[in-house]
Each structure stands twice: as C-alpha cells, then as structure tokens.
Amino acid sequence: MPKVHIVTDSTADLTTELVKQYNIHIVPLTIQIDGESYIDGVDINSEEFLEKMAKSKQLPKSSQPSSGIFKELYDELGKDGDHVISIHMTGGMSGTVKSAQAAAEMTESDITVIDSKFISFALSFQVVEAAKMALNGETKQAIIQKVEEIRSKSDLFVVVDTLDNLVKGGRIGKGRAMLGSLLSIKPIASLAGGEYTPIAKVRSHKQVVNYLFDRFLSDTKGKVVKAVGISHANGFSMATPLIKLIKESGFQDIQVSITSPVISTHTGPGAIGFMYMTE
C-alpha cells in the first residue's frame, strides 16, 4: 500500500520537534521588509521579524511559494507511487493554496491539496493529526475525512492591538483607524470560513480577554476540548491572562507561540490569535 506524505507551509506554527517527529514537510513563504527578502523560519524567526517590523516605515510583504517549488517536492515525494496531502493556510489570506493546486496539476504524483481555512495552530491541528495518521498507515481517504472533521470543529479568533497594519494593508480606511485609535477600540475578528470577519469591538485588553474566554466556554460547553492554541505578536497583555483563565477552567495543555512573520504582517504588533478544537 502506498504511503501518505503530509506537506504544509510555514504559517502552521509547528515546532522543529513536531516536524521531525511526524515527518512533516514544510514549504516556507517569503517575507520582504526594508528591501530585503527572507525565507520564513529559515532566514528569519518570529522575534527577529517583529523587531524589524517595529522599525520599518513600510508594511512588509509576504509571497507564497512558487508552484515550481511545490512541484519539485511533489515529484520527489510521489515518485514511488506514494500519495501526498498538502494542507495550507487559508486562501482568504494568501495565494499559497493556489500555488499548491497549480503544482498538483503539473506533477504526475498523486496530490490532494486542502485549504485549511485557518492559520497558525488551527492549521497545525489538521496537519499534526494527518501526519500521525499517515505514520500509522491510514489511507489517504481516511486522513482527508479526519482533516475535514477537525476543520469543522475548530474556531479561531484574531485581535489586533493597533490598527496601523490594517490601514497599510488596505483592510480599513485611515478615518476609521483614527477614530478607533482615539476610542482605544480593539476589533475582534473570526476566521470562520477562511475569511477575516469582524465580530465585536471592545475598548480594553481586559474586555478582549473576557470576550474570548466567554466565547470559549460557550463554544465548548458539553464538549471535550482537544486542543487550545494562542499565538501572539508580543501580545502578552492579552495572552497571559487568557492562558490563566483557560487553565483555571480545567484545560492545561495550551500551545503558545510567537506569531509567524506572515501573520504578524497582517495583524501588526501586540495582536493575538486564539484557537481551539473540540472532539
């Protein structure tokens, strides 16, 4: 029976240990800042990027991997008849999925490309489970079905601390941003369906934490919580108290990381992403 290989991109917030343990293949995105180009997670890490972004006057830009890079990997992984499942960040924020799909059409290997509809840990929830199943010899179809199930039982919320990057990226106008800054508004958005969708506005870090925790309790009531992740761009003032509340509620195994450069570009400094998955 052919083996199944799992591929993802550098926005999945996977540790080096997890990548090695489950034999996951990472195709990195590229970041341009101040005239320099960096390979995400290779030439620059999350902390270094935040330092550079704080000093930069221009909004950094990210580039998805070329279809040629994907094709080269797909050709190698599938050369002996093995299958490849390639799971990537939401197509609503990047063209990475389209690059992967183009490569899948060019290669002779058996490739299934999946839009996770998420980023960060909500992407890695799908990737890690797929990789575990692949190592256990599960079929391609069984893995795809499980990934779809995980996606349907995951939630992700994004909170930005400053509106600057949303303005630079064209997501909101300068007038709205100025008013929002004057009122200290912290917009909370969902990534349901893979799109950045504003769902609430609050006016303090404490209100953000309370909103997210209440939402977590509501969404997980009567269910088994399988995973919780918090990714932040030095957003400790929101991340730290939220972690404390979740642990006090009974769930201890919270995954925490500094947001990847690609995501930090969208959200700006101080932002947090809050993700959880139920059984």
Side-chain angles (χ1 to χ4, degrees), residues 218-255:
S218 173
D219 288 346
T220 61
K221 186 176 182 180
K223 302 175 184 176
V224 176
V225 179
K226 295 291 289 182
V228 175
I230 294 178
S231 180
H232 64 90
N234 290 338
F236 298 101
S237 57
M238 292 183 281
T240 302
L242 183 56
I243 291 168
K244 183 174 182 288
L245 286 174
I246 293 167
K247 287 186 174 181
E248 288 173 352
S249 75
F251 191 87
Q252 303 295 317
D253 188 20
I254 303 168
Q255 302 175 67

PDB file of all heavy atoms in Angstrom, residues 218-255:
ATOM      1  N   SER A 218     -18.625  29.063  26.048  1.00  0.00           N
ATOM      2  CA  SER A 218     -19.889  28.841  25.348  1.00  0.00           C
ATOM      3  C   SER A 218     -19.751  27.784  24.246  1.00  0.00           C
ATOM      4  O   SER A 218     -20.575  26.878  24.121  1.00  0.00           O
ATOM      5  CB  SER A 218     -20.382  30.161  24.746  1.00  0.00           C
ATOM      6  OG  SER A 218     -21.515  29.966  23.937  1.00  0.00           O
ATOM      7  N   ASP A 219     -18.688  27.914  23.443  1.00  0.00           N
ATOM      8  CA  ASP A 219     -18.495  27.011  22.300  1.00  0.00           C
ATOM      9  C   ASP A 219     -18.134  25.591  22.716  1.00  0.00           C
ATOM     10  O   ASP A 219     -18.398  24.640  21.972  1.00  0.00           O
ATOM     11  CB  ASP A 219     -17.393  27.546  21.380  1.00  0.00           C
ATOM     12  CG  ASP A 219     -17.829  28.784  20.606  1.00  0.00           C
ATOM     13  OD1 ASP A 219     -19.034  29.077  20.573  1.00  0.00           O
ATOM     14  OD2 ASP A 219     -16.937  29.464  20.033  1.00  0.00           O
ATOM     15  N   THR A 220     -17.498  25.448  23.883  1.00  0.00           N
ATOM     16  CA  THR A 220     -17.018  24.125  24.294  1.00  0.00           C
ATOM     17  C   THR A 220     -17.895  23.464  25.362  1.00  0.00           C
ATOM     18  O   THR A 220     -17.598  22.359  25.809  1.00  0.00           O
ATOM     19  CB  THR A 220     -15.572  24.219  24.831  1.00  0.00           C
ATOM     20  OG1 THR A 220     -15.542  25.077  25.991  1.00  0.00           O
ATOM     21  CG2 THR A 220     -14.629  24.761  23.770  1.00  0.00           C
ATOM     22  N   LYS A 221     -18.968  24.131  25.747  1.00  0.00           N
ATOM     23  CA  LYS A 221     -19.846  23.592  26.786  1.00  0.00           C
ATOM     24  C   LYS A 221     -20.391  22.221  26.367  1.00  0.00           C
ATOM     25  O   LYS A 221     -20.949  22.050  25.284  1.00  0.00           O
ATOM     26  CB  LYS A 221     -21.010  24.552  27.043  1.00  0.00           C
ATOM     27  CG  LYS A 221     -21.891  24.133  28.215  1.00  0.00           C
ATOM     28  CD  LYS A 221     -22.968  25.169  28.488  1.00  0.00           C
ATOM     29  CE  LYS A 221     -23.818  24.785  29.686  1.00  0.00           C
ATOM     30  NZ  LYS A 221     -24.882  25.788  29.966  1.00  0.00           N
ATOM     31  N   GLY A 222     -20.204  21.241  27.225  1.00  0.00           N
ATOM     32  CA  GLY A 222     -20.701  19.896  26.950  1.00  0.00           C
ATOM     33  C   GLY A 222     -19.859  19.114  25.968  1.00  0.00           C
ATOM     34  O   GLY A 222     -20.232  17.997  25.574  1.00  0.00           O
ATOM     35  N   LYS A 223     -18.725  19.676  25.552  1.00  0.00           N
ATOM     36  CA  LYS A 223     -17.844  19.005  24.588  1.00  0.00           C
ATOM     37  C   LYS A 223     -16.480  18.743  25.225  1.00  0.00           C
ATOM     38  O   LYS A 223     -16.125  19.351  26.229  1.00  0.00           O
ATOM     39  CB  LYS A 223     -17.651  19.885  23.338  1.00  0.00           C
ATOM     40  CG  LYS A 223     -18.947  20.240  22.623  1.00  0.00           C
ATOM     41  CD  LYS A 223     -18.678  21.211  21.491  1.00  0.00           C
ATOM     42  CE  LYS A 223     -19.973  21.658  20.821  1.00  0.00           C
ATOM     43  NZ  LYS A 223     -19.731  22.682  19.770  1.00  0.00           N
ATOM     44  N   VAL A 224     -15.729  17.844  24.616  1.00  0.00           N
ATOM     45  CA  VAL A 224     -14.365  17.573  25.065  1.00  0.00           C
ATOM     46  C   VAL A 224     -13.408  18.478  24.289  1.00  0.00           C
ATOM     47  O   VAL A 224     -13.385  18.462  23.062  1.00  0.00           O
ATOM     48  CB  VAL A 224     -13.982  16.099  24.831  1.00  0.00           C
ATOM     49  CG1 VAL A 224     -12.517  15.860  25.206  1.00  0.00           C
ATOM     50  CG2 VAL A 224     -14.898  15.172  25.619  1.00  0.00           C
ATOM     51  N   VAL A 225     -12.649  19.294  25.004  1.00  0.00           N
ATOM     52  CA  VAL A 225     -11.664  20.167  24.356  1.00  0.00           C
ATOM     53  C   VAL A 225     -10.429  19.343  24.034  1.00  0.00           C
ATOM     54  O   VAL A 225      -9.805  18.747  24.910  1.00  0.00           O
ATOM     55  CB  VAL A 225     -11.288  21.356  25.271  1.00  0.00           C
ATOM     56  CG1 VAL A 225     -10.250  22.238  24.583  1.00  0.00           C
ATOM     57  CG2 VAL A 225     -12.526  22.163  25.634  1.00  0.00           C
ATOM     58  N   LYS A 226     -10.066  19.303  22.753  1.00  0.00           N
ATOM     59  CA  LYS A 226      -8.924  18.502  22.319  1.00  0.00           C
ATOM     60  C   LYS A 226      -7.641  19.317  22.229  1.00  0.00           C
ATOM     61  O   LYS A 226      -6.544  18.784  22.418  1.00  0.00           O
ATOM     62  CB  LYS A 226      -9.225  17.881  20.953  1.00  0.00           C
ATOM     63  CG  LYS A 226     -10.365  16.882  20.961  1.00  0.00           C
ATOM     64  CD  LYS A 226     -10.005  15.622  21.716  1.00  0.00           C
ATOM     65  CE  LYS A 226      -8.993  14.794  20.968  1.00  0.00           C
ATOM     66  NZ  LYS A 226      -8.665  13.536  21.685  1.00  0.00           N
ATOM     67  N   ALA A 227      -7.754  20.604  21.897  1.00  0.00           N
ATOM     68  CA  ALA A 227      -6.553  21.420  21.722  1.00  0.00           C
ATOM     69  C   ALA A 227      -6.895  22.893  21.868  1.00  0.00           C
ATOM     70  O   ALA A 227      -7.983  23.340  21.495  1.00  0.00           O
ATOM     71  CB  ALA A 227      -5.925  21.162  20.352  1.00  0.00           C
ATOM     72  N   VAL A 228      -5.945  23.643  22.420  1.00  0.00           N
ATOM     73  CA  VAL A 228      -6.060  25.100  22.530  1.00  0.00           C
ATOM     74  C   VAL A 228      -4.710  25.700  22.134  1.00  0.00           C
ATOM     75  O   VAL A 228      -3.655  25.220  22.558  1.00  0.00           O
ATOM     76  CB  VAL A 228      -6.417  25.551  23.961  1.00  0.00           C
ATOM     77  CG1 VAL A 228      -6.407  27.079  24.062  1.00  0.00           C
ATOM     78  CG2 VAL A 228      -7.775  25.012  24.382  1.00  0.00           C
ATOM     79  N   GLY A 229      -4.750  26.743  21.318  1.00  0.00           N
ATOM     80  CA  GLY A 229      -3.518  27.406  20.922  1.00  0.00           C
ATOM     81  C   GLY A 229      -3.656  28.913  21.008  1.00  0.00           C
ATOM     82  O   GLY A 229      -4.713  29.461  20.690  1.00  0.00           O
ATOM     83  N   ILE A 230      -2.604  29.573  21.453  1.00  0.00           N
ATOM     84  CA  ILE A 230      -2.560  31.037  21.471  1.00  0.00           C
ATOM     85  C   ILE A 230      -1.265  31.481  20.798  1.00  0.00           C
ATOM     86  O   ILE A 230      -0.174  31.129  21.237  1.00  0.00           O
ATOM     87  CB  ILE A 230      -2.639  31.601  22.900  1.00  0.00           C
ATOM     88  CG1 ILE A 230      -4.007  31.296  23.512  1.00  0.00           C
ATOM     89  CG2 ILE A 230      -2.385  33.117  22.891  1.00  0.00           C
ATOM     90  CD1 ILE A 230      -4.181  31.766  24.941  1.00  0.00           C
ATOM     91  N   SER A 231      -1.415  32.215  19.726  1.00  0.00           N
ATOM     92  CA  SER A 231      -0.274  32.764  19.003  1.00  0.00           C
ATOM     93  C   SER A 231      -0.346  34.277  19.128  1.00  0.00           C
ATOM     94  O   SER A 231      -1.417  34.864  18.963  1.00  0.00           O
ATOM     95  CB  SER A 231      -0.341  32.334  17.533  1.00  0.00           C
ATOM     96  OG  SER A 231       0.740  32.844  16.800  1.00  0.00           O
ATOM     97  N   HIS A 232       0.783  34.915  19.428  1.00  0.00           N
ATOM     98  CA  HIS A 232       0.719  36.357  19.643  1.00  0.00           C
ATOM     99  C   HIS A 232       1.970  37.074  19.134  1.00  0.00           C
ATOM    100  O   HIS A 232       3.056  36.495  19.075  1.00  0.00           O
ATOM    101  CB  HIS A 232       0.517  36.669  21.133  1.00  0.00           C
ATOM    102  CG  HIS A 232       1.660  36.237  21.998  1.00  0.00           C
ATOM    103  ND1 HIS A 232       2.730  37.063  22.282  1.00  0.00           N
ATOM    104  CD2 HIS A 232       1.910  35.057  22.633  1.00  0.00           C
ATOM    105  CE1 HIS A 232       3.580  36.414  23.058  1.00  0.00           C
ATOM    106  NE2 HIS A 232       3.113  35.193  23.286  1.00  0.00           N
ATOM    107  N   ALA A 233       1.802  38.337  18.761  1.00  0.00           N
ATOM    108  CA  ALA A 233       2.911  39.174  18.302  1.00  0.00           C
ATOM    109  C   ALA A 233       3.352  40.066  19.459  1.00  0.00           C
ATOM    110  O   ALA A 233       3.118  41.282  19.456  1.00  0.00           O
ATOM    111  CB  ALA A 233       2.480  40.009  17.096  1.00  0.00           C
ATOM    112  N   ASN A 234       3.922  39.435  20.485  1.00  0.00           N
ATOM    113  CA  ASN A 234       4.260  40.108  21.747  1.00  0.00           C
ATOM    114  C   ASN A 234       3.017  40.683  22.419  1.00  0.00           C
ATOM    115  O   ASN A 234       3.081  41.708  23.104  1.00  0.00           O
ATOM    116  CB  ASN A 234       5.308  41.209  21.534  1.00  0.00           C
ATOM    117  CG  ASN A 234       6.677  40.645  21.199  1.00  0.00           C
ATOM    118  OD1 ASN A 234       6.966  39.488  21.511  1.00  0.00           O
ATOM    119  ND2 ASN A 234       7.524  41.438  20.551  1.00  0.00           N
ATOM    120  N   GLY A 235       1.894  40.008  22.241  1.00  0.00           N
ATOM    121  CA  GLY A 235       0.638  40.455  22.847  1.00  0.00           C
ATOM    122  C   GLY A 235       0.422  39.857  24.231  1.00  0.00           C
ATOM    123  O   GLY A 235      -0.634  39.267  24.515  1.00  0.00           O
ATOM    124  N   PHE A 236       1.415  40.007  25.090  1.00  0.00           N
ATOM    125  CA  PHE A 236       1.378  39.367  26.411  1.00  0.00           C
ATOM    126  C   PHE A 236       0.239  39.889  27.285  1.00  0.00           C
ATOM    127  O   PHE A 236      -0.290  39.152  28.112  1.00  0.00           O
ATOM    128  CB  PHE A 236       2.711  39.574  27.140  1.00  0.00           C
ATOM    129  CG  PHE A 236       3.885  38.946  26.435  1.00  0.00           C
ATOM    130  CD1 PHE A 236       4.744  39.704  25.665  1.00  0.00           C
ATOM    131  CD2 PHE A 236       4.111  37.579  26.527  1.00  0.00           C
ATOM    132  CE1 PHE A 236       5.827  39.126  25.012  1.00  0.00           C
ATOM    133  CE2 PHE A 236       5.187  36.983  25.884  1.00  0.00           C
ATOM    134  CZ  PHE A 236       6.044  37.755  25.113  1.00  0.00           C
ATOM    135  N   SER A 237      -0.136  41.162  27.112  1.00  0.00           N
ATOM    136  CA  SER A 237      -1.167  41.738  27.981  1.00  0.00           C
ATOM    137  C   SER A 237      -2.531  41.085  27.776  1.00  0.00           C
ATOM    138  O   SER A 237      -3.390  41.141  28.647  1.00  0.00           O
ATOM    139  CB  SER A 237      -1.276  43.247  27.755  1.00  0.00           C
ATOM    140  OG  SER A 237      -1.552  43.520  26.406  1.00  0.00           O
ATOM    141  N   MET A 238      -2.731  40.463  26.616  1.00  0.00           N
ATOM    142  CA  MET A 238      -3.958  39.715  26.386  1.00  0.00           C
ATOM    143  C   MET A 238      -3.726  38.214  26.520  1.00  0.00           C
ATOM    144  O   MET A 238      -4.555  37.492  27.079  1.00  0.00           O
ATOM    145  CB  MET A 238      -4.530  40.038  24.994  1.00  0.00           C
ATOM    146  CG  MET A 238      -5.054  41.457  24.858  1.00  0.00           C
ATOM    147  SD  MET A 238      -5.809  41.820  23.234  1.00  0.00           S
ATOM    148  CE  MET A 238      -4.345  42.084  22.218  1.00  0.00           C
ATOM    149  N   ALA A 239      -2.595  37.731  26.024  1.00  0.00           N
ATOM    150  CA  ALA A 239      -2.330  36.292  26.018  1.00  0.00           C
ATOM    151  C   ALA A 239      -2.172  35.719  27.421  1.00  0.00           C
ATOM    152  O   ALA A 239      -2.746  34.668  27.748  1.00  0.00           O
ATOM    153  CB  ALA A 239      -1.076  36.003  25.188  1.00  0.00           C
ATOM    154  N   THR A 240      -1.406  36.409  28.266  1.00  0.00           N
ATOM    155  CA  THR A 240      -1.102  35.867  29.595  1.00  0.00           C
ATOM    156  C   THR A 240      -2.354  35.670  30.462  1.00  0.00           C
ATOM    157  O   THR A 240      -2.554  34.581  31.025  1.00  0.00           O
ATOM    158  CB  THR A 240      -0.075  36.760  30.318  1.00  0.00           C
ATOM    159  OG1 THR A 240       1.110  36.845  29.514  1.00  0.00           O
ATOM    160  CG2 THR A 240       0.283  36.195  31.679  1.00  0.00           C
ATOM    161  N   PRO A 241      -3.230  36.697  30.609  1.00  0.00           N
ATOM    162  CA  PRO A 241      -4.431  36.468  31.428  1.00  0.00           C
ATOM    163  C   PRO A 241      -5.402  35.463  30.805  1.00  0.00           C
ATOM    164  O   PRO A 241      -6.103  34.747  31.525  1.00  0.00           O
ATOM    165  CB  PRO A 241      -5.070  37.857  31.537  1.00  0.00           C
ATOM    166  CG  PRO A 241      -4.479  38.663  30.434  1.00  0.00           C
ATOM    167  CD  PRO A 241      -3.128  38.112  30.181  1.00  0.00           C
ATOM    168  N   LEU A 242      -5.427  35.373  29.462  1.00  0.00           N
ATOM    169  CA  LEU A 242      -6.310  34.404  28.812  1.00  0.00           C
ATOM    170  C   LEU A 242      -5.826  32.984  29.097  1.00  0.00           C
ATOM    171  O   LEU A 242      -6.634  32.088  29.389  1.00  0.00           O
ATOM    172  CB  LEU A 242      -6.359  34.663  27.307  1.00  0.00           C
ATOM    173  CG  LEU A 242      -7.291  33.771  26.485  1.00  0.00           C
ATOM    174  CD1 LEU A 242      -8.719  33.830  27.006  1.00  0.00           C
ATOM    175  CD2 LEU A 242      -7.251  34.173  25.010  1.00  0.00           C
ATOM    176  N   ILE A 243      -4.532  32.775  29.032  1.00  0.00           N
ATOM    177  CA  ILE A 243      -3.955  31.465  29.359  1.00  0.00           C
ATOM    178  C   ILE A 243      -4.321  31.080  30.794  1.00  0.00           C
ATOM    179  O   ILE A 243      -4.707  29.937  31.073  1.00  0.00           O
ATOM    180  CB  ILE A 243      -2.421  31.491  29.174  1.00  0.00           C
ATOM    181  CG1 ILE A 243      -2.070  31.602  27.691  1.00  0.00           C
ATOM    182  CG2 ILE A 243      -1.781  30.252  29.790  1.00  0.00           C
ATOM    183  CD1 ILE A 243      -0.611  31.916  27.422  1.00  0.00           C
ATOM    184  N   LYS A 244      -4.208  32.045  31.715  1.00  0.00           N
ATOM    185  CA  LYS A 244      -4.508  31.791  33.127  1.00  0.00           C
ATOM    186  C   LYS A 244      -5.961  31.344  33.308  1.00  0.00           C
ATOM    187  O   LYS A 244      -6.253  30.374  34.019  1.00  0.00           O
ATOM    188  CB  LYS A 244      -4.236  33.058  33.936  1.00  0.00           C
ATOM    189  CG  LYS A 244      -4.438  32.921  35.440  1.00  0.00           C
ATOM    190  CD  LYS A 244      -3.986  34.195  36.152  1.00  0.00           C
ATOM    191  CE  LYS A 244      -4.129  34.075  37.676  1.00  0.00           C
ATOM    192  NZ  LYS A 244      -5.538  34.108  38.091  1.00  0.00           N
ATOM    193  N   LEU A 245      -6.887  32.040  32.650  1.00  0.00           N
ATOM    194  CA  LEU A 245      -8.308  31.701  32.776  1.00  0.00           C
ATOM    195  C   LEU A 245      -8.609  30.311  32.222  1.00  0.00           C
ATOM    196  O   LEU A 245      -9.382  29.547  32.817  1.00  0.00           O
ATOM    197  CB  LEU A 245      -9.163  32.747  32.052  1.00  0.00           C
ATOM    198  CG  LEU A 245      -9.316  34.107  32.735  1.00  0.00           C
ATOM    199  CD1 LEU A 245     -10.055  35.074  31.817  1.00  0.00           C
ATOM    200  CD2 LEU A 245     -10.058  33.966  34.055  1.00  0.00           C
ATOM    201  N   ILE A 246      -8.000  29.991  31.079  1.00  0.00           N
ATOM    202  CA  ILE A 246      -8.267  28.688  30.474  1.00  0.00           C
ATOM    203  C   ILE A 246      -7.743  27.564  31.359  1.00  0.00           C
ATOM    204  O   ILE A 246      -8.403  26.540  31.551  1.00  0.00           O
ATOM    205  CB  ILE A 246      -7.636  28.609  29.061  1.00  0.00           C
ATOM    206  CG1 ILE A 246      -8.362  29.582  28.125  1.00  0.00           C
ATOM    207  CG2 ILE A 246      -7.746  27.191  28.495  1.00  0.00           C
ATOM    208  CD1 ILE A 246      -7.651  29.822  26.826  1.00  0.00           C
ATOM    209  N   LYS A 247      -6.562  27.757  31.924  1.00  0.00           N
ATOM    210  CA  LYS A 247      -6.008  26.738  32.816  1.00  0.00           C
ATOM    211  C   LYS A 247      -6.874  26.578  34.066  1.00  0.00           C
ATOM    212  O   LYS A 247      -7.112  25.462  34.535  1.00  0.00           O
ATOM    213  CB  LYS A 247      -4.567  27.092  33.191  1.00  0.00           C
ATOM    214  CG  LYS A 247      -3.580  26.876  32.055  1.00  0.00           C
ATOM    215  CD  LYS A 247      -2.141  27.090  32.498  1.00  0.00           C
ATOM    216  CE  LYS A 247      -1.180  26.716  31.391  1.00  0.00           C
ATOM    217  NZ  LYS A 247       0.243  26.886  31.775  1.00  0.00           N
ATOM    218  N   GLU A 248      -7.365  27.695  34.585  1.00  0.00           N
ATOM    219  CA  GLU A 248      -8.236  27.636  35.763  1.00  0.00           C
ATOM    220  C   GLU A 248      -9.555  26.936  35.451  1.00  0.00           C
ATOM    221  O   GLU A 248     -10.190  26.355  36.343  1.00  0.00           O
ATOM    222  CB  GLU A 248      -8.499  29.051  36.292  1.00  0.00           C
ATOM    223  CG  GLU A 248      -7.290  29.683  36.980  1.00  0.00           C
ATOM    224  CD  GLU A 248      -7.524  31.137  37.353  1.00  0.00           C
ATOM    225  OE1 GLU A 248      -8.559  31.703  36.944  1.00  0.00           O
ATOM    226  OE2 GLU A 248      -6.660  31.718  38.047  1.00  0.00           O
ATOM    227  N   SER A 249      -9.964  26.982  34.174  1.00  0.00           N
ATOM    228  CA  SER A 249     -11.220  26.330  33.781  1.00  0.00           C
ATOM    229  C   SER A 249     -11.054  24.822  33.634  1.00  0.00           C
ATOM    230  O   SER A 249     -12.037  24.093  33.464  1.00  0.00           O
ATOM    231  CB  SER A 249     -11.737  26.918  32.464  1.00  0.00           C
ATOM    232  OG  SER A 249     -10.991  26.444  31.351  1.00  0.00           O
ATOM    233  N   GLY A 250      -9.788  24.357  33.642  1.00  0.00           N
ATOM    234  CA  GLY A 250      -9.564  22.914  33.620  1.00  0.00           C
ATOM    235  C   GLY A 250      -8.733  22.380  32.481  1.00  0.00           C
ATOM    236  O   GLY A 250      -8.319  21.214  32.501  1.00  0.00           O
ATOM    237  N   PHE A 251      -8.446  23.201  31.453  1.00  0.00           N
ATOM    238  CA  PHE A 251      -7.638  22.721  30.326  1.00  0.00           C
ATOM    239  C   PHE A 251      -6.217  23.259  30.476  1.00  0.00           C
ATOM    240  O   PHE A 251      -5.994  24.465  30.464  1.00  0.00           O
ATOM    241  CB  PHE A 251      -8.237  23.157  28.987  1.00  0.00           C
ATOM    242  CG  PHE A 251      -7.592  22.477  27.806  1.00  0.00           C
ATOM    243  CD1 PHE A 251      -8.052  21.254  27.360  1.00  0.00           C
ATOM    244  CD2 PHE A 251      -6.499  23.047  27.164  1.00  0.00           C
ATOM    245  CE1 PHE A 251      -7.449  20.599  26.300  1.00  0.00           C
ATOM    246  CE2 PHE A 251      -5.891  22.405  26.088  1.00  0.00           C
ATOM    247  CZ  PHE A 251      -6.369  21.180  25.662  1.00  0.00           C
ATOM    248  N   GLN A 252      -5.237  22.356  30.599  1.00  0.00           N
ATOM    249  CA  GLN A 252      -3.868  22.760  30.927  1.00  0.00           C
ATOM    250  C   GLN A 252      -2.914  22.818  29.731  1.00  0.00           C
ATOM    251  O   GLN A 252      -1.972  23.605  29.720  1.00  0.00           O
ATOM    252  CB  GLN A 252      -3.282  21.779  31.964  1.00  0.00           C
ATOM    253  CG  GLN A 252      -4.100  21.666  33.233  1.00  0.00           C
ATOM    254  CD  GLN A 252      -4.147  22.962  34.028  1.00  0.00           C
ATOM    255  OE1 GLN A 252      -3.135  23.640  34.179  1.00  0.00           O
ATOM    256  NE2 GLN A 252      -5.331  23.322  34.529  1.00  0.00           N
ATOM    257  N   ASP A 253      -3.141  21.970  28.752  1.00  0.00           N
ATOM    258  CA  ASP A 253      -2.162  21.785  27.670  1.00  0.00           C
ATOM    259  C   ASP A 253      -2.345  22.815  26.551  1.00  0.00           C
ATOM    260  O   ASP A 253      -2.795  22.490  25.449  1.00  0.00           O
ATOM    261  CB  ASP A 253      -2.270  20.361  27.107  1.00  0.00           C
ATOM    262  CG  ASP A 253      -1.149  20.042  26.129  1.00  0.00           C
ATOM    263  OD1 ASP A 253      -0.117  20.736  26.167  1.00  0.00           O
ATOM    264  OD2 ASP A 253      -1.325  19.109  25.320  1.00  0.00           O
ATOM    265  N   ILE A 254      -2.001  24.061  26.824  1.00  0.00           N
ATOM    266  CA  ILE A 254      -2.185  25.153  25.863  1.00  0.00           C
ATOM    267  C   ILE A 254      -0.901  25.353  25.061  1.00  0.00           C
ATOM    268  O   ILE A 254       0.184  25.518  25.617  1.00  0.00           O
ATOM    269  CB  ILE A 254      -2.552  26.458  26.586  1.00  0.00           C
ATOM    270  CG1 ILE A 254      -3.811  26.258  27.432  1.00  0.00           C
ATOM    271  CG2 ILE A 254      -2.752  27.593  25.584  1.00  0.00           C
ATOM    272  CD1 ILE A 254      -4.093  27.395  28.392  1.00  0.00           C
ATOM    273  N   GLN A 255      -1.029  25.332  23.745  1.00  0.00           N
ATOM    274  CA  GLN A 255       0.115  25.596  22.869  1.00  0.00           C
ATOM    275  C   GLN A 255       0.259  27.111  22.700  1.00  0.00           C
ATOM    276  O   GLN A 255      -0.709  27.796  22.402  1.00  0.00           O
ATOM    277  CB  GLN A 255      -0.103  24.943  21.507  1.00  0.00           C
ATOM    278  CG  GLN A 255      -0.309  23.431  21.571  1.00  0.00           C
ATOM    279  CD  GLN A 255      -0.644  22.848  20.218  1.00  0.00           C
ATOM    280  OE1 GLN A 255       0.172  22.841  19.308  1.00  0.00           O
ATOM    281  NE2 GLN A 255      -1.864  22.349  20.075  1.00  0.00           N
TER     282      GLN A 255
END
